[in-house]
PDB file of all heavy atoms in Angstrom:
ATOM      1  N   LEU A 488     -18.071 -19.672   9.428  1.00  0.00           N
ATOM      2  CA  LEU A 488     -17.362 -18.777  10.345  1.00  0.00           C
ATOM      3  C   LEU A 488     -17.794 -19.091  11.803  1.00  0.00           C
ATOM      4  O   LEU A 488     -16.993 -19.091  12.742  1.00  0.00           O
ATOM      5  CB  LEU A 488     -17.637 -17.320  10.010  1.00  0.00           C
ATOM      6  CG  LEU A 488     -17.070 -16.305  10.990  1.00  0.00           C
ATOM      7  CD1 LEU A 488     -15.537 -16.293  10.953  1.00  0.00           C
ATOM      8  CD2 LEU A 488     -17.600 -14.902  10.689  1.00  0.00           C
ATOM      9  N   LEU A 489     -19.092 -19.350  11.920  1.00  0.00           N
ATOM     10  CA  LEU A 489     -19.663 -19.554  13.230  1.00  0.00           C
ATOM     11  C   LEU A 489     -19.218 -20.912  13.849  1.00  0.00           C
ATOM     12  O   LEU A 489     -19.376 -21.096  15.072  1.00  0.00           O
ATOM     13  CB  LEU A 489     -21.215 -19.466  13.164  1.00  0.00           C
ATOM     14  CG  LEU A 489     -21.668 -18.157  12.551  1.00  0.00           C
ATOM     15  CD1 LEU A 489     -23.196 -18.121  12.481  1.00  0.00           C
ATOM     16  CD2 LEU A 489     -21.159 -16.939  13.266  1.00  0.00           C
ATOM     17  N   ASN A 490     -18.629 -21.779  12.997  1.00  0.00           N
ATOM     18  CA  ASN A 490     -18.039 -22.990  13.512  1.00  0.00           C
ATOM     19  C   ASN A 490     -16.773 -22.664  14.355  1.00  0.00           C
ATOM     20  O   ASN A 490     -16.414 -23.397  15.250  1.00  0.00           O
ATOM     21  CB  ASN A 490     -17.651 -23.944  12.390  1.00  0.00           C
ATOM     22  CG  ASN A 490     -18.887 -24.549  11.741  1.00  0.00           C
ATOM     23  OD1 ASN A 490     -19.964 -24.621  12.346  1.00  0.00           O
ATOM     24  ND2 ASN A 490     -18.734 -24.963  10.483  1.00  0.00           N
ATOM     25  N   TYR A 491     -16.123 -21.579  13.946  1.00  0.00           N
ATOM     26  CA  TYR A 491     -14.930 -21.174  14.647  1.00  0.00           C
ATOM     27  C   TYR A 491     -15.178 -20.200  15.771  1.00  0.00           C
ATOM     28  O   TYR A 491     -14.527 -20.197  16.803  1.00  0.00           O
ATOM     29  CB  TYR A 491     -13.964 -20.517  13.680  1.00  0.00           C
ATOM     30  CG  TYR A 491     -13.360 -21.499  12.651  1.00  0.00           C
ATOM     31  CD1 TYR A 491     -13.778 -21.487  11.337  1.00  0.00           C
ATOM     32  CD2 TYR A 491     -12.352 -22.404  13.046  1.00  0.00           C
ATOM     33  CE1 TYR A 491     -13.220 -22.358  10.414  1.00  0.00           C
ATOM     34  CE2 TYR A 491     -11.830 -23.284  12.129  1.00  0.00           C
ATOM     35  CZ  TYR A 491     -12.263 -23.287  10.815  1.00  0.00           C
ATOM     36  OH  TYR A 491     -11.703 -24.115   9.912  1.00  0.00           O
ATOM     37  N   ILE A 492     -16.104 -19.280  15.564  1.00  0.00           N
ATOM     38  CA  ILE A 492     -16.459 -18.302  16.559  1.00  0.00           C
ATOM     39  C   ILE A 492     -17.912 -18.538  16.968  1.00  0.00           C
ATOM     40  O   ILE A 492     -18.801 -18.136  16.235  1.00  0.00           O
ATOM     41  CB  ILE A 492     -16.232 -16.878  16.077  1.00  0.00           C
ATOM     42  CG1 ILE A 492     -14.867 -16.692  15.407  1.00  0.00           C
ATOM     43  CG2 ILE A 492     -16.415 -15.873  17.257  1.00  0.00           C
ATOM     44  CD1 ILE A 492     -14.654 -15.345  14.744  1.00  0.00           C
ATOM     45  N   THR A 493     -18.139 -19.152  18.057  1.00  0.00           N
ATOM     46  CA  THR A 493     -19.505 -19.543  18.412  1.00  0.00           C
ATOM     47  C   THR A 493     -20.279 -18.336  18.914  1.00  0.00           C
ATOM     48  O   THR A 493     -19.944 -17.696  19.892  1.00  0.00           O
ATOM     49  CB  THR A 493     -19.471 -20.627  19.486  1.00  0.00           C
ATOM     50  OG1 THR A 493     -18.482 -21.606  19.139  1.00  0.00           O
ATOM     51  CG2 THR A 493     -20.806 -21.280  19.660  1.00  0.00           C
ATOM     52  N   PRO A 494     -21.434 -18.072  18.237  1.00  0.00           N
ATOM     53  CA  PRO A 494     -22.214 -16.949  18.669  1.00  0.00           C
ATOM     54  C   PRO A 494     -23.112 -17.283  19.835  1.00  0.00           C
ATOM     55  O   PRO A 494     -23.570 -18.429  19.986  1.00  0.00           O
ATOM     56  CB  PRO A 494     -23.051 -16.637  17.450  1.00  0.00           C
ATOM     57  CG  PRO A 494     -23.226 -17.936  16.770  1.00  0.00           C
ATOM     58  CD  PRO A 494     -21.969 -18.779  17.066  1.00  0.00           C
ATOM     59  N   ASP A 495     -23.351 -16.255  20.654  1.00  0.00           N
ATOM     60  CA  ASP A 495     -24.349 -16.438  21.728  1.00  0.00           C
ATOM     61  C   ASP A 495     -25.730 -16.128  21.215  1.00  0.00           C
ATOM     62  O   ASP A 495     -26.719 -16.682  21.682  1.00  0.00           O
ATOM     63  CB  ASP A 495     -23.997 -15.432  22.890  1.00  0.00           C
ATOM     64  CG  ASP A 495     -22.617 -15.677  23.427  1.00  0.00           C
ATOM     65  OD1 ASP A 495     -22.359 -16.845  23.902  1.00  0.00           O
ATOM     66  OD2 ASP A 495     -21.768 -14.771  23.338  1.00  0.00           O
ATOM     67  N   PHE A 496     -25.758 -15.183  20.264  1.00  0.00           N
ATOM     68  CA  PHE A 496     -27.061 -14.811  19.644  1.00  0.00           C
ATOM     69  C   PHE A 496     -26.936 -14.789  18.148  1.00  0.00           C
ATOM     70  O   PHE A 496     -25.873 -14.359  17.638  1.00  0.00           O
ATOM     71  CB  PHE A 496     -27.531 -13.418  20.088  1.00  0.00           C
ATOM     72  CG  PHE A 496     -27.759 -13.290  21.552  1.00  0.00           C
ATOM     73  CD1 PHE A 496     -26.757 -12.825  22.415  1.00  0.00           C
ATOM     74  CD2 PHE A 496     -28.976 -13.705  22.155  1.00  0.00           C
ATOM     75  CE1 PHE A 496     -26.951 -12.679  23.782  1.00  0.00           C
ATOM     76  CE2 PHE A 496     -29.186 -13.541  23.520  1.00  0.00           C
ATOM     77  CZ  PHE A 496     -28.164 -13.089  24.343  1.00  0.00           C
ATOM     78  N   VAL A 497     -27.993 -15.216  17.458  1.00  0.00           N
ATOM     79  CA  VAL A 497     -28.030 -15.090  15.996  1.00  0.00           C
ATOM     80  C   VAL A 497     -29.285 -14.215  15.703  1.00  0.00           C
ATOM     81  O   VAL A 497     -30.349 -14.571  16.175  1.00  0.00           O
ATOM     82  CB  VAL A 497     -28.095 -16.445  15.317  1.00  0.00           C
ATOM     83  CG1 VAL A 497     -28.297 -16.219  13.795  1.00  0.00           C
ATOM     84  CG2 VAL A 497     -26.827 -17.211  15.571  1.00  0.00           C
ATOM     85  N   HIS A 498     -29.076 -13.113  14.937  1.00  0.00           N
ATOM     86  CA  HIS A 498     -30.195 -12.240  14.561  1.00  0.00           C
ATOM     87  C   HIS A 498     -30.383 -12.336  13.064  1.00  0.00           C
ATOM     88  O   HIS A 498     -29.410 -12.490  12.331  1.00  0.00           O
ATOM     89  CB  HIS A 498     -29.909 -10.797  14.957  1.00  0.00           C
ATOM     90  CG  HIS A 498     -29.436 -10.640  16.364  1.00  0.00           C
ATOM     91  ND1 HIS A 498     -30.295 -10.362  17.408  1.00  0.00           N
ATOM     92  CD2 HIS A 498     -28.171 -10.686  16.915  1.00  0.00           C
ATOM     93  CE1 HIS A 498     -29.581 -10.291  18.537  1.00  0.00           C
ATOM     94  NE2 HIS A 498     -28.326 -10.471  18.222  1.00  0.00           N
ATOM     95  N   VAL A 499     -31.592 -12.152  12.642  1.00  0.00           N
ATOM     96  CA  VAL A 499     -31.875 -12.049  11.201  1.00  0.00           C
ATOM     97  C   VAL A 499     -32.399 -10.641  10.901  1.00  0.00           C
ATOM     98  O   VAL A 499     -33.334 -10.184  11.495  1.00  0.00           O
ATOM     99  CB  VAL A 499     -32.912 -13.122  10.765  1.00  0.00           C
ATOM    100  CG1 VAL A 499     -33.227 -12.988   9.268  1.00  0.00           C
ATOM    101  CG2 VAL A 499     -32.440 -14.520  11.111  1.00  0.00           C
ATOM    102  N   MET A 500     -31.664 -10.051   9.979  1.00  0.00           N
ATOM    103  CA  MET A 500     -32.053  -8.695   9.506  1.00  0.00           C
ATOM    104  C   MET A 500     -32.824  -8.867   8.242  1.00  0.00           C
ATOM    105  O   MET A 500     -32.438  -9.629   7.323  1.00  0.00           O
ATOM    106  CB  MET A 500     -30.781  -7.847   9.263  1.00  0.00           C
ATOM    107  CG  MET A 500     -31.065  -6.541   8.569  1.00  0.00           C
ATOM    108  SD  MET A 500     -31.092  -5.077   9.684  1.00  0.00           S
ATOM    109  CE  MET A 500     -29.424  -4.957  10.283  1.00  0.00           C
TER     110      MET A 500
END
Side-chain angles (χ1 to χ4, degrees):
Chain A
L488 175 67
L489 306 179
N490 289 337
Y491 291 105
I492 311 174
T493 313
D495 301 301
F496 297 96
V497 174
H498 310 266
V499 178
M500 172 100 66

